[in-house]
Amino acid sequence: MYWFDSAYEAVARFMYMGGDVLWLIAILLFVMWTLIFERVWYFKSGWRSDAGKAISAWESRAERQSWSARQVREMLISQARMQIHQHLPLIKTLVALCPLMGLLGTVTGMIEVFNIMAVTGGGDAKSMAGGVSRATIPTMAGMVAAISGVFAISYLTRVAQRESEFLEDNLTTDH
């Protein structure tokens, strides 16, 4: 249990050194990765069922050549794409917000440094170091969070495109 206490203390110290903005980044990161894992889970388990329903609905049609049949096909594809792309724009937004929150941490940390310099006349290096850490740690955390999200969203976008094309290819208009 000692390693857990030590790890907890290290994380708590890191969060304290990063300031309040680091908590915002942590919340963004948690929400972002929750949505990413939900999408991965959907593609691994739920998507096959949804695609099978769309394909069976199309295959059960007696005719597939008319204008009406093509509109039904487009509707099935559109509904499936909505399911496939669910949460992807939100994940992209969260990825974009992470470095902005890091920048906010930089600004608030530098304001703290300048405030300390104004109060002490620039003579308290130890106090200024705390402000500098509050300026740099959120920047680093925001960038790391964004980079991890970029890799995940590029993977999810690629999977979504592949599955969308798979569905289009399987809803054929020939009998």
Side-chain angles (χ1 to χ4, degrees), residues 40 49 61 75 84 97 100 111 149-150 174:
V40 169
S49 170
R61 290 187 56 83
M75 179 199 66
I84 290 171
L97 276 177
L100 294 176
I111 288 171
V150 165
D174 56 340

Side-chain angles (χ1 to χ4, degrees), residues 36-49:
I36 288 169
F37 285 134
E38 184 276 332
R39 287 287 85 193
V40 169
W41 179 263
Y42 174 73
F43 286 130
K44 298 289 182 194
S45 62
W47 165 243
R48 294 292 172 211
S49 170

Side-chain angles (χ1 to χ4, degrees), residues 51-61 171:
K53 289 176 187 173
I55 291 170
S56 66
W58 178 250
E59 294 293 326
S60 67
R61 290 187 56 83
L171 297 184

Side-chain angles (χ1 to χ4, degrees), residues 12-38:
R13 190 171 44 253
F14 179 76
M15 295 302 284
Y16 174 76
M17 287 175 30
D20 293 336
V21 175
L22 199 55
W23 287 103
L24 289 173
I25 294 170
I27 291 167
L28 280 176
L29 189 63
F30 176 77
V31 171
M32 180 179 72
W33 276 98
T34 300
L35 293 173
I36 288 169
F37 285 134
E38 184 276 332

Side-chain angles (χ1 to χ4, degrees), residues 43 84-85 88 92 150-166:
F43 286 130
I84 290 171
H85 290 94
L88 293 186
K92 288 178 183 178
V150 165
F151 288 125
I153 196 65
S154 66
Y155 168 75
L156 290 174
T157 302
R158 201 171 49 245
V159 170
Q161 181 66 30
R162 182 188 68 215
E163 296 303 331
S164 181
E165 289 171 2
F166 165 80

Side-chain angles (χ1 to χ4, degrees), residues 25 28 94-104 138-139 142-143 145-147:
I25 294 170
L28 280 176
L94 292 173
V95 167
L97 276 177
C98 285
L100 294 176
M101 287 296 118
L103 183 60
L104 177 64
T139 305
M143 295 303 289
I147 288 170

